[in-house]
Amino acid sequence: MKKMLSVQKIILSLSLATSMLGATTAATPASGIQAGATARQTTKRQSSTIQENDELTWISTDNGVGIEVKMRGKVQFNEDYTDILSISDGGWVRIKDDRKGPARRLEITPTSGGGFERSYRVNGESRPYDEDAGRWLATVLLDAVRQGGFDASNRVKKIFSQRGAAGVLEEISLLRSDYVKGLYFKGLFKATTLDSASVQRVLREVTREMSSDYEKAQVLMAIAGTYLNDDATRTAYLDAVGTVKSDYERGRVLSALLKNPDLNNKILTHTLKTAAAISSDYEKAQLLMKMGEGKMRDNGVRLAYLETAGSIDSSYERARVLLALLGRNDLEQEATLLVVKSAMNISSDYEKARVLIQVAEMYASDEKVRTALTDAARTIDSSYERGRVLSATHK
């Protein structure tokens, strides 16, 4: 069955020099290329996939020597990706291979009769395109497909139809680039509807196979909108989120989870515990602010929220989070007292006063809350701010 190359929008985080001599460090992404695509890089091996306009490029080098495959337009492969069947008008395929053996160059362009012309050179000399050239091309194409992510969506569908989800996961284990692994994981979710047990298995494989926080987050967010329909899957999802080290990416993934309208109190509490590991006060506060706006009627969830808020060092960010919770206007006494206690640990007198005054205006009629507010006011060094709090408390 013929497969059409579907050129994907590819985000680039590590770009290589386009020279076949390679580079030892990542270059600044070129203009017009979105930042973020993953390339697995070591001191010896570098690999990147880049799309710019309608051109798709895969470059792989080892110790500065490697291969470059570039394609423009729509390219049709044969069934086993060992040859090219057709190229759209104006398109082409260009290959430079300086790996072990002779230096090879191949350019394939379409002809007016519906076929195409192959220009093949070995060590700079023109050669006929023979069986040896065909065997070489077959190896190059499979590398470009497997390691460069060419035609990933169609290839995942084909593997799934032949060997199921297990076959796709087996193929993913053979890939080096986290970016390409991500394409295959996301392609698997689009190729079929997986049951809960299969989704949980895939989530475990995501954490095992992928090291890039960005690419892992991309996969997890793709799952969040479709497959988190039961507690077992949501728990496995949160376990996977726990392996994301980047504060920004972890926050993004948890935010995607919170869009699910059917999260129960157990999952919300688990989400808050996962959020507590975010070290950035800003990112943690952003997530808690979103949670504060959502469903948090359970007192246990609110207590978990306040415990996580207590891990925020920034006076401004902690105040923002506590004020967001107070804005719900439905706190029970225990949660209100914990808000006051958390506010007492705010170092800024101004921010502390902001929170305590808000509590006073809403809950000072409760004797225990009023007593707690009075005690908290004594921790304010500024006479002006302390007076404001006491005045609001004892109106």
Side-chain angles (χ1 to χ4, degrees):
M1 185 176 75
K2 296 182 178 181
K3 299 290 184 181
M4 297 297 298
L5 174 66
S6 178
V7 177
Q8 314 249 350
K9 288 276 185 183
I10 297 173
I11 315 176
L12 180 65
S13 69
L14 297 173
S15 67
L16 303 175
T18 55
S19 167
M20 290 307 295
L21 293 177
T24 57
T25 58
T28 303
S31 175
I33 304 176
Q34 294 179 316
T38 275
R40 179 163 294 185
Q41 177 177 343
T42 68
T43 55
K44 293 183 178 181
R45 175 177 293 162
Q46 296 176 312
S47 178
S48 67
T49 305
I50 308 165
Q51 179 177 327
E52 189 170 17
N53 300 322
D54 62 344
E55 292 183 13
L56 186 63
T57 303
W58 172 59
I59 305 173
S60 178
T61 63
D62 196 347
N63 289 326
V65 179
I67 185 169
E68 176 184 280
V69 179
K70 301 186 72 170
M71 296 185 181
R72 171 183 284 180
K74 294 183 178 180
V75 178
Q76 182 178 351
F77 297 101
N78 65 357
E79 182 68 11
D80 57 1
Y81 293 95
T82 58
D83 203 355
I84 291 170
L85 297 181
S86 67
I87 304 172
S88 62
D89 290 342
W92 40 254
V93 175
R94 294 172 183 168
I95 301 171
K96 299 178 182 179
D97 188 356
D98 293 322
R99 298 173 298 181
K100 292 181 180 179
R104 302 175 190 255
R105 303 289 186 267
L106 176 64
E107 180 169 356
I108 308 175
T109 53
T111 61
S112 58
F116 42 78
E117 179 181 347
R118 303 176 194 251
S119 174
Y120 180 57
R121 304 181 72 84
V122 178
N123 290 331
E125 296 182 3
S126 180
R127 296 284 183 84
Y129 186 83
D130 54 16
E131 291 184 4
D132 176 69
R135 287 190 295 269
W136 164 76
L137 178 61
T139 301
V140 169
L141 291 180
L142 189 55
D143 279 348
V145 168
R146 177 172 280 167
Q147 307 303 341
F150 285 42
D151 207 31
S153 179
N154 287 332
R155 189 157 187 263
V156 169
K157 291 177 183 177
K158 179 178 179 180
I159 294 172
F160 181 81
S161 67
Q162 295 172 342
R163 294 184 282 150
V168 177
L169 294 177
E170 181 180 347
E171 181 66 19
I172 288 172
S173 70
L174 300 175
L175 307 176
R176 290 192 297 267
S177 163
D178 276 357
Y179 172 73
V180 180
K181 288 176 187 283
L183 289 180
Y184 277 62
F185 276 122
K186 288 181 282 187
L188 175 58
F189 286 112
K190 292 179 181 179
T192 186
T193 300
L194 301 177
D195 59 25
S196 176
S198 297
V199 175
Q200 292 172 53
R201 179 186 175 187
V202 172
L203 285 167
R204 289 192 294 270
E205 290 298 309
V206 168
T207 62
R208 189 176 73 86
E209 290 286 346
M210 305 184 75
S211 59
S212 163
D213 285 338
Y214 173 80
E215 298 299 345
K216 189 184 296 184
Q218 290 292 101
V219 173
L220 292 175
M221 287 190 292
I223 297 172
T226 307
Y227 282 100
L228 304 184
N229 299 318
D230 61 84
D231 282 355
T233 305
R234 292 166 185 161
T235 299
Y237 182 88
L238 285 168
D239 289 343
V241 175
T243 68
V244 176
K245 298 179 179 63
S246 162
D247 290 336
Y248 174 73
E249 299 300 347
R250 182 178 290 207
R252 284 209 306 156
V253 175
L254 290 176
S255 294
L257 172 64
L258 292 175
K259 293 178 182 179
N260 191 310
D262 300 320
L263 301 181
N264 61 28
N265 295 330
K266 177 181 177 182
I267 296 300
L268 287 172
T269 301
H270 192 168
T271 301
L272 285 162
K273 290 180 178 179
T274 304
I278 296 175
S279 58
S280 163
D281 286 341
Y282 173 78
E283 298 297 344
K284 189 182 297 184
Q286 288 293 98
L287 183 66
L288 290 176
M289 296 277 288
K290 291 177 182 177
M291 292 195 70
E293 297 169 356
K295 296 192 304 182
M296 282 205 316
R297 295 188 177 90
D298 180 75
N299 200 45
V301 175
R302 292 172 179 173
L303 296 180
Y305 179 97
L306 287 166
E307 183 177 351
T308 302
S311 65
I312 297 176
D313 294 326
S314 163
S315 296
Y316 173 73
E317 299 298 351
R318 186 184 292 202
R320 282 209 308 154
V321 168
L322 294 177
L323 289 170
L325 185 62
L326 289 168
R328 300 178 60 88
N329 196 28
D330 60 355
L331 297 187
E332 297 178 4
Q333 184 189 75
E334 182 181 9
T336 305
L337 291 172
L338 285 175
V339 170
V340 175
K341 183 178 179 180
S342 184
M344 288 175 67
N345 292 320
I346 294 176
S347 58
S348 163
D349 286 344
Y350 172 74
E351 297 297 346
K352 184 186 297 187
R354 285 179 65 203
V355 176
L356 295 178
I357 290 171
Q358 186 66 30
V359 173
E361 291 177 350
M362 299 174 68
Y363 299 104
S365 59
D366 184 298
E367 183 177 351
K368 285 189 176 181
V369 173
R370 189 166 57 250
T371 299
L373 285 168
T374 302
D375 292 341
R378 295 192 181 100
T379 68
I380 299 177
D381 294 328
S382 165
S383 299
Y384 173 72
E385 298 297 350
R386 183 170 61 251
R388 291 177 65 215
V389 173
L390 292 173
S391 177
T393 301
H394 300 284
K395 283 182 179 180

